[in-house]
Amino acid sequence: MKIEQIKLFEIKMPLVHFFETSFGRTYERNIILVRVTDSDGAEGWGEVTCGESPGYSEEWTGSAWATIDKILAPLVLGREVDSAGDIAGLMKWARGNRMAKSGIETACWDLEAKKLGLPLWRHLGGVNRTIESGVSIGIQDSVPALLALIEREVSAGYKRIKIKISPRWDYDVLEEVRREFPDIPLMADANSAYTLADIDKLKSFDEFGLMMLEQPLAYDDIIDHAKLQAEIETPVCLDEPIKSAEDARKAIELASGRIINLKNGRVGGHTESKKVEAICRESNIPVWCGGMLESGIGRAHNIAISTLAGYTMPGDVSASKRYWHEDIISPEVSVSENGTIDAPDAPGIGFELNHALIQKLTIRNTVI
Ligand code: OSB
Ligand code: MG
């Protein structure tokens, strides 16, 4: 494989409903789409999953654009490699910036799968064509609003409900959710809103029988999480600090948590996701696919990677219509009434792109 051209598109897409986490509220997304073209004129598409501001991680739309344009694309263009699995190696010299790298890397996997005539999920080594879907519900303006959203998603068939929490939206909210829905598979994601000084409060969440407590402590921490996990019954799930297979290995060794939310972008693409998945599977650590409010392209990549054997819990990969008035892929991602998604059988990501819509939403583009 030899990539000859990389084209970036920044698209602006309003969310159907705002999404609030402990680090802020988002009303509309600015998403970078990556199109790679090889020396035979074949194409692949990827998405950079960073946010509009560095609230979740250091990366954001503006930094990722500049990093791809000035640093990463020159490392990849014109270089011959055996397969998409070698693309990450070309960019290794540049530290961090994994979401930017992932935009290019996942696009190359799409391109390669298309050339081989294989659905991406099979090309990645997936085994479960049908994946289980959960939802992530942000912080709301009121508890009744939250309860109404949970009711809607449970009725739609989703396999588990994740709610976002913060020190101003936690114990009392969980108590009301549990009063209304005593038996649903429920979990909470704090996006690093607590410290070990809050241990008594975090311990008190044990009474809610949560499937897991996601990323309660600092975004770069795996030490305090180990201390916390030793003190609480609820399994800790790590998100933000697991940026590579090496990070996963260390977190498992330290017993920093019992579950990992695995995001393609956060670890730098499909090749690294496969490595994290393998380490976790060998260590009996369940993984599930996280989400970053992706457009259809990122969503399609998430579906493909979720078919790997180690992804044993419902992920945050849900229907397009929960986020977008109109998604940029066709068909849109839909979820069955049993809360499942079938990976498509068409080559590559397996969805058509709505090019007219992408053009309409594009606020800048560049060819490298
Ligand atoms: O922590 O998993 C997270 C969205 C943006 C940033 C961080 C996170 C999330 C989500 C949303 O929880 C998952 C989704 O795309 O539905
Ligand atoms: Mg999270």
Side-chain angles (χ1 to χ4, degrees):
M1 171 187 293
K2 189 154 111 188
I3 302 302
E4 297 280 16
Q5 189 192 76
I6 296 178
K7 183 167 182 180
L8 303 181
F9 304 76
E10 181 173 342
I11 59 170
K12 203 183 219 357
M13 283 176 97
L15 288 164
V16 168
H17 182 72
F18 66 80
F19 192 84
E20 184 172 331
T21 66
S22 62
F23 59 80
R25 188 179 275 199
T26 307
Y27 291 92
E28 66 179 355
R29 300 280 343 271
N30 281 63
I31 296 173
I32 302 173
L33 303 178
V34 181
R35 188 190 76 190
V36 297
T37 310
D38 77 357
S39 44
D40 302 327
E43 264 182 36
W45 286 78
E47 174 170 340
V48 179
T49 62
C50 62
E52 291 65 41
S53 55
Y56 168 83
S57 76
E58 294 90 338
E59 293 186 84
W60 59 286
T61 312
S63 76
W65 183 280
T67 303
I68 295 176
D69 188 21
K70 299 285 186 276
I71 308 287
L72 301 177
L75 292 173
V76 170
L77 288 169
R79 304 276 299 275
E80 180 82 43
V81 289
D82 287 341
S83 67
D86 298 326
I87 294 290
L90 295 178
M91 298 184 282
K92 201 167 174 226
W93 168 82
R95 292 186 180 169
N97 295 284
R98 289 184 169 85
M99 293 175 179
K101 289 174 177 172
S102 175
I104 296 176
E105 205 262 0
T106 55
C108 291
W109 274 96
D110 176 41
L111 181 154
E112 185 171 80
K114 282 185 172 127
K115 281 184 102 169
L116 293 168
L118 285 172
L120 178 59
W121 68 275
R122 283 211 184 275
H123 187 43
L124 287 168
V127 293
N128 304 307
R129 184 179 173 211
T130 301
I131 65 164
E132 301 201 321
S133 182
V135 288
S136 176
I137 303 180
I139 294 168
Q140 303 300 316
D141 287 331
S142 70
V143 172
L146 174 66
L147 296 177
L149 284 173
I150 295 176
E151 172 61 40
R152 189 181 78 186
E153 307 299 12
V154 170
S155 306
Y158 284 103
K159 298 275 192 192
R160 66 104 172 99
I161 303 292
K162 154 168 148 184
I163 67 166
K164 293 289 192 179
I165 57 168
S166 79
R168 277 157 302 286
W169 180 267
D170 56 13
Y171 185 90
D172 298 345
V173 176
L174 285 164
E175 195 175 35
E176 295 212 43
V177 172
R178 266 305 183 218
R179 190 176 304 141
E180 199 74 22
F181 305 95
D183 304 318
I184 55 167
L186 180 68
M187 59 174 289
D189 184 0
N191 288 108
S192 305
Y194 301 89
T195 70
L196 278 183
D198 303 306
I199 193 150
D200 289 338
K201 191 187 230 182
L202 297 171
K203 257 188 206 167
S204 75
F205 300 164
D206 276 345
E207 71 188 73
F208 301 121
L210 301 177
M211 296 169 78
M212 68 196 89
L213 177 59
E214 182 175 340
Q215 200 62 32
L217 308 178
Y219 76 95
D220 53 358
D221 169 75
I222 56 171
I223 305 277
D224 285 356
H225 280 94
K227 293 183 187 157
L228 174 68
Q229 181 66 93
E231 297 287 324
I232 66 174
E233 281 167 29
T234 307
V236 169
C237 170
L238 298 169
D239 175 353
E240 282 87 332
I242 308 302
K243 295 177 156 193
S244 65
E246 271 297 273
D247 287 345
R249 177 184 66 76
K250 291 170 189 170
I252 293 167
E253 253 176 65
L254 288 173
S256 312
R258 301 195 191 127
I259 300 170
I260 289 178
N261 166 347
L262 181 44
K263 294 178 179 170
N264 273 334
R266 202 191 59 226
V267 302
H270 287 312
T271 306
E272 195 69 18
S273 282
K274 280 159 64 73
K275 289 185 190 159
V276 176
E277 181 265 351
I279 283 183
C280 290
R281 185 161 31 79
E282 285 153 18
S283 314
N284 292 314
I285 296 289
V287 306
W288 52 273
C289 185
M292 291 291 290
L293 313 176
E294 285 93 344
S295 81
I297 293 176
R299 217 161 275 281
H301 280 287
N302 286 344
I303 293 170
I305 196 76
S306 298
T307 63
L308 269 64
Y311 287 74
T312 54
M313 299 181 99
D316 276 348
V317 188
S318 58
S320 299
K321 67 173 185 212
R322 295 188 63 250
Y323 300 87
W324 315 117
H325 300 287
E326 190 183 2
D327 203 346
I328 58 171
I329 55 166
S330 169
E332 301 201 341
V333 173
S334 60
V335 172
S336 76
E337 57 195 24
N338 302 317
T340 60
I341 300 174
D342 282 337
D345 273 331
I349 59 172
F351 293 84
E352 295 292 326
L353 300 190
N354 183 341
H355 291 286
L357 182 60
I358 292 174
Q359 197 176 1
K360 202 171 100 189
L361 300 171
T362 296
I363 56 170
R364 61 169 162 164
N365 64 63
T366 189
V367 175
I368 316 157

